[in-house]
Amino acid sequence: MVSLSLNQWTTRRWTVAEAVDGCVRHGLEAIGLWRQEVAAQGLAESAKLVRAAGLRVSSLCRGGFLTAGGLPGEEGRRAFAAALEDNRRAVDEAAELGAACLVMVVGGLPGVVPGEPLSGPVSRDVAGARERVAEGLAELAPYAGERGVRLALEPLHPVYCADRAVLSTLEQAVELCLPYPVEQVGVVVDTFHVWWDPRLFEQIARAGERIASYQVCDFLHPLPADVLLGRGMMGDGVIDFAPITRAVLEAGYTGDVEVEIFNADVWAADPDEVLATMKARYAEVVLPS
């Protein structure tokens, strides 16, 4: 039976220590952590806090951004080497935390910086960028496997293809997984990013035991000016969650259901109220009847 997990970014102003305490007070069994917050708390201290509280780490976010290697010449080679090194560190952190998976946001077009105007060299070769992702995965999957860490490829909504993820569909993510053992590489099913896909249910079934993480939040309408913050509390947008959850469970997923919301109003709210609402909406909206 799946259980509810708090992704730390949903209560963004909480530290790791505060988020762990909040999970315990609200009766949650798992937490999804972010690397920068873990670094601020301290890796060893974060691991100690989670274990002392009896929580599971449902995911560590994030690795990826492997596409910088698509820039020409020495700049591209240096960028790719730096990305691989950062991802190896992320794998080591996930191992220390005992995370169920390391979420991989693979990166957008080389030279495109999230949230910034185009400047400097930019590659428009989206097929080549996807090849860089495959090359990076070939380097990282064995390293992760040796450390007992599962890489989880997250397809993002196509609106983020230019700057954050050249993987836009679950089908693309599953295809990249296939050369690797299931315990090394899996996929993330995030409702915000994949709800629109006409082949979603077919691909969830195909992914099967490759599903390493199931993340939920709603797709708001209208989207805000900053589409990164267009995630809403379940039930506040347009997604029909129950059929997706049912499909994920029927595919064999037994992990945690992680609520990950990027939303200025949610971040400004009392985190305890956010958790209370999150629990109620999980029962009312996310779980199939």
Side-chain angles (χ1 to χ4, degrees):
M1 182 63 184
V2 292
S3 67
L4 185 60
S5 174
L6 169 70
N7 183 288
Q8 189 181 6
W9 222 240
T10 300
T11 52
R12 187 174 176 180
R13 55 194 170 108
W14 267 353
T15 65
V16 170
E18 291 169 332
V20 166
D21 180 65
C23 287
V24 171
R25 285 187 287 103
H26 287 268
L28 303 185
E29 298 178 5
I31 186 169
L33 297 174
W34 279 68
R35 292 180 66 199
Q36 55 266 55
E37 300 302 324
V38 168
Q41 187 77 52
L43 177 59
E45 177 65 16
S46 296
K48 180 180 177 182
L49 286 167
V50 169
R51 289 168 187 151
L55 297 177
R56 297 182 296 275
V57 178
S58 52
S59 73
L60 177 65
C61 198
R62 54 181 161 65
F65 285 86
L66 298 167
T67 55
L71 292 173
E74 185 61 27
E75 183 177 2
R77 286 189 288 272
R78 287 198 304 267
F80 191 57
L84 290 176
E85 182 59 30
D86 182 64
N87 276 277
R88 293 186 187 101
R89 286 194 296 270
V91 167
D92 293 341
E93 293 161 15
E96 175 69 19
L97 293 164
C101 65
L102 173 65
V103 174
M104 302 290 285
V105 176
V106 299
L109 293 174
V112 178
V113 179
E116 296 185 11
L118 297 182
S119 63
V122 171
S123 169
R124 292 170 172 81
D125 181 6
V126 66
R130 290 174 180 140
E131 290 174 5
R132 300 295 85 72
V133 174
E135 291 171 6
L137 192 60
E139 293 279 346
L140 294 169
Y143 185 88
E146 290 169 0
R147 286 150 184 81
V149 172
R150 193 180 197 190
L151 306 179
L153 301 175
E154 182 171 16
L156 268 56
H157 191 282
V159 74
Y160 302 109
C161 186
D163 61 353
R164 286 182 170 83
V166 292
L167 295 183
S168 301
T169 66
L170 187 57
E171 182 175 13
Q172 289 175 308
V174 171
E175 285 292 331
L176 272 179
C177 288
L178 295 180
Y180 305 100
V182 69
E183 66 273 10
Q184 282 187 11
V185 186
V187 297
V188 180
V189 176
D190 184 319
T191 55
F192 178 84
H193 293 302
V194 301
W195 69 274
W196 58 273
D197 188 346
R199 300 187 65 185
L200 176 60
F201 295 101
E202 169 193 339
Q203 293 303 316
I204 287 174
R206 181 181 178 222
E209 59 182 347
R210 292 277 180 182
I211 300 174
S213 177
Y214 179 41
Q215 296 181 335
V216 297
C217 70
D218 221 328
F219 191 99
L220 297 179
H221 181 78
L223 288 170
D226 184 351
V227 295
L228 187 66
L229 306 184
R231 293 167 171 254
M233 185 64 70
M234 298 80 70
D236 288 350
V238 299
I239 297 177
D240 187 6
F241 288 93
I244 302 175
T245 302
R246 185 177 298 110
V248 168
L249 297 180
E250 289 176 352
Y253 182 71
T254 58
D256 299 296
V257 180
E258 191 175 286
V259 177
E260 183 186 57
I261 300 174
F262 295 18
N263 182 289
D265 292 335
V266 172
W267 290 343
D270 180 341
D272 281 296
E273 293 181 3
V274 170
L275 259 68
T277 302
M278 184 180 92
K279 290 173 63 179
R281 298 289 182 86
Y282 172 70
E284 297 165 3
V285 177
V286 176
L287 292 180
S289 56

